[in-house]
């Protein structure tokens, strides 16, 4: 009885000590911790190793930062539900955005395990994927293959036969959409990486913008990579017909969606329906980077 008491006391002290330590890390030696962290960890590691929530909230029954409303959703990592992806081998996936929310696309995370392989997209469906962790091999006609590492991506036009394979472990984010035909325009395979894309002009804004797909009419969506230093924010407060699927890759900040203001961090995903007022401010100690799906080049009619 007594030893249990001392054991519990010891545990309590230990917890107290470790929570003090966390506080110190958070407030006193913060800059060095932040810079150490960003130097020693691979790119985008937080997406796959998210801080689920502040530690005192982590075990709070029923607590989640996720929100689902008529015109937007915030899907935070503690709400992800993985299940085997249909037609894929040794892969589990979590659909974060799907037509049930009102979108015309799906966005999902796919965790490829040992000896895994993708299944084909549905008929007439185009696919874009971006590597978040590990490496995958993209193989298409005549056995041509590419190894795609973190920050690399591929766009596969509808009907383009291919497979994504992995012999160890990898995480990718995938967007799929039924391709919207435009007479006289044919989209082509794209395989590339973010760092090879030029910075684009952003009049009136200070964030950095890269587009991962060509802007030509053949493509009915694009994927933007947007970078903000802490303290930078969007000048525009956009309301538009386009839809968005967003994955926060690095950093933290405040996302405004409609009349709600959400603290967000790397690993969080957001669905933005057409015409939801939207705005972002990057805060915290490290830069923000997000990946953003946007439908383009087609009449909304
Ligand atoms: C899945 O991976 C395991 C372990 O590497 C392997 O033995 C198995 O054959 C794979 N499953 C399929 C359906 O290929
Ligand atoms: C990758 O993108 C850059 C910039 O858009 C382009 O110049 C380059 O040719 C692309 N690489 C491949 C292999 O397509």
């Amino acid at each position: 009885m007594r030893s249990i008491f001392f054991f519990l006391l010891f545990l309590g002290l230990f917890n107290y000590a470790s929570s003090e330590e966390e506080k110190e890390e958070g407030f006193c030696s913060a800059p060095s911790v932040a810079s150490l962290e960003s130097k020693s960890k691979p790119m985008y590691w937080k997406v796959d190793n998210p801080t689920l929530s502040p530690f005192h909230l982590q075990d709070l029954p029923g607590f989640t930062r996720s929100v689902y409303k008529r015109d937007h959703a915030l899907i935070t990592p503690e709400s992800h539900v993985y299940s085997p992806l249909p037609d894929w081998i040794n892969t589990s996936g979590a659909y974060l955005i799907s037509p049930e929310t009102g979108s015309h696309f799906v966005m999902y995370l796919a965790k490829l395990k040992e000896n895994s392989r993708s299944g084909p997209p549905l008929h007439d469906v185009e696919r874009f994927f971006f590597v978040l962790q590990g490496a995958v091999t993209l193989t298409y006609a005549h056995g041509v293959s590419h190894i795609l590492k973190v920050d690399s991506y591929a766009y596969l036009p509808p009907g383009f036969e291919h497979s994504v394979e992995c012999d160890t472990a990898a995480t990718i984010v995938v967007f799929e959409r039924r391709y919207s035909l435009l007479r006289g325009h044919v989209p082509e395979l794209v395989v590339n990486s973010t760092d090879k894309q030029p910075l684009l002009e952003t009049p009136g804004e200070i964030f950095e913008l890269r587009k991962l797909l060509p802007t030509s009419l053949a493509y009915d969506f694009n994927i933007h990579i947007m970078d903000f230093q802490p303290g930078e924010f969007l000048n525009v407060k956009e309301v538009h017909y386009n839809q968005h699927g967003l994955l926060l890759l690095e950093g933290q900040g405040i996302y405004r969606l409609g009349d709600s203001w959400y603290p967000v961090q790397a690993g969080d995903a957001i669905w933005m329906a057409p015409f939801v007022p939207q705005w972002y401010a990057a805060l915290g100690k490290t830069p923000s980077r997000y990946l953003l799906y946007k439908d383009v080049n087609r009449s909304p009619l």
Side-chain angles (χ1 to χ4, degrees):
M1 198 56 206
R2 204 186 224 181
S3 57
I4 288 177
F5 172 77
F6 281 115
F7 178 67
L8 289 177
L9 185 68
F10 170 75
L11 264 187
L13 285 176
F14 179 75
N15 278 338
Y16 180 73
S18 57
S19 61
E20 282 305 294
E21 202 172 278
E22 277 181 36
K23 272 185 204 147
E24 272 178 21
E25 279 185 6
F27 292 104
C28 304
S29 56
S32 59
V33 167
S35 55
L36 254 183
E37 213 170 60
S38 53
K39 283 207 186 75
S40 61
K41 298 286 194 296
M43 283 180 105
Y44 311 146
W45 75 281
K46 269 215 155 181
V47 178
D48 223 31
N49 302 277
T51 317
L52 290 183
S53 54
F55 92 105
H56 57 285
L57 293 175
Q58 206 162 312
D59 291 328
L60 199 57
F63 176 80
T64 175
R65 291 187 297 111
S66 291
V67 168
Y68 174 58
K69 296 198 176 174
R70 183 189 63 80
D71 57 4
H72 68 268
L74 168 65
I75 306 107
T76 58
E78 72 275 8
S79 311
H80 293 179
V81 177
Y82 283 89
S83 49
L85 278 176
D87 296 333
W88 293 51
I89 293 170
N90 278 347
T91 305
S92 55
Y95 285 96
L96 303 181
I97 300 175
S98 81
E100 284 79 3
T101 61
S103 68
H104 61 215
F105 65 93
V106 291
M107 169 178 167
Y108 56 99
L109 294 174
K111 285 190 188 286
L112 293 104
K113 292 167 231 166
E114 225 181 320
N115 301 319
S116 51
R117 191 167 75 239
S118 63
L122 297 177
H123 187 62
D124 288 340
V125 167
E126 54 191 334
R127 170 181 283 169
F128 172 94
F129 72 86
F130 180 98
V131 182
L132 295 166
Q133 183 261 314
V136 298
T137 306
L138 169 67
T139 305
Y140 49 93
H142 315 303
V144 178
S145 63
H146 300 269
I147 293 176
L148 279 76
K149 297 188 180 141
V150 173
D151 219 31
S152 299
Y153 59 87
Y155 166 81
L156 299 315
F160 189 93
E161 262 182 53
H162 69 278
S163 72
V164 181
E165 289 170 36
C166 180
D167 47 21
T168 51
T171 306
I172 60 178
V173 56
V174 188
F175 294 87
E176 288 172 358
R177 171 183 180 184
R178 206 164 293 282
Y179 180 66
S180 170
L181 279 172
L182 194 62
R183 208 181 296 257
H185 299 272
V186 180
E188 288 175 0
L189 172 78
V190 177
V191 181
N192 217 312
S193 62
T194 304
D195 60 337
K196 299 222 172 66
Q197 303 316 308
L199 287 178
L200 304 174
E201 291 289 316
T202 54
E205 299 284 356
I206 45 177
F207 66 83
E208 292 184 338
L209 171 66
R210 292 177 174 84
K211 295 189 179 182
L212 302 188
L213 295 181
T215 53
S216 51
L217 288 177
Y219 300 86
D220 61 359
F221 71 89
N222 212 318
I223 300 287
H224 296 183
I225 296 283
M226 294 170 64
D227 286 296
F228 300 77
Q229 294 303 313
E232 291 183 353
F233 54 88
L234 288 169
N235 179 42
V236 286
K237 302 91 185 170
E238 291 186 330
V239 175
H240 54 54
Y241 80 92
N242 317 75
Q243 316 190 352
H244 287 313
L246 180 153
L247 181 63
L248 193 55
L249 296 170
E250 309 260 22
Q252 46 182 224
I254 303 279
Y255 223 103
R256 178 187 175 172
L257 297 163
D259 289 333
S260 304
W261 304 66
Y262 299 105
V264 292
Q265 63 180 357
D268 289 351
I270 293 174
W271 150 242
M272 287 176 247
F275 298 105
V276 65
Q278 51 199 254
W279 177 85
Y280 182 63
L283 298 168
K285 300 164 203 141
T286 54
S288 280
R289 167 172 279 192
Y290 60 70
L291 176 154
L292 186 76
Y293 167 99
K294 180 183 186 180
D295 53 308
V296 292
N297 291 332
R298 297 293 183 272
S299 162
L301 273 182

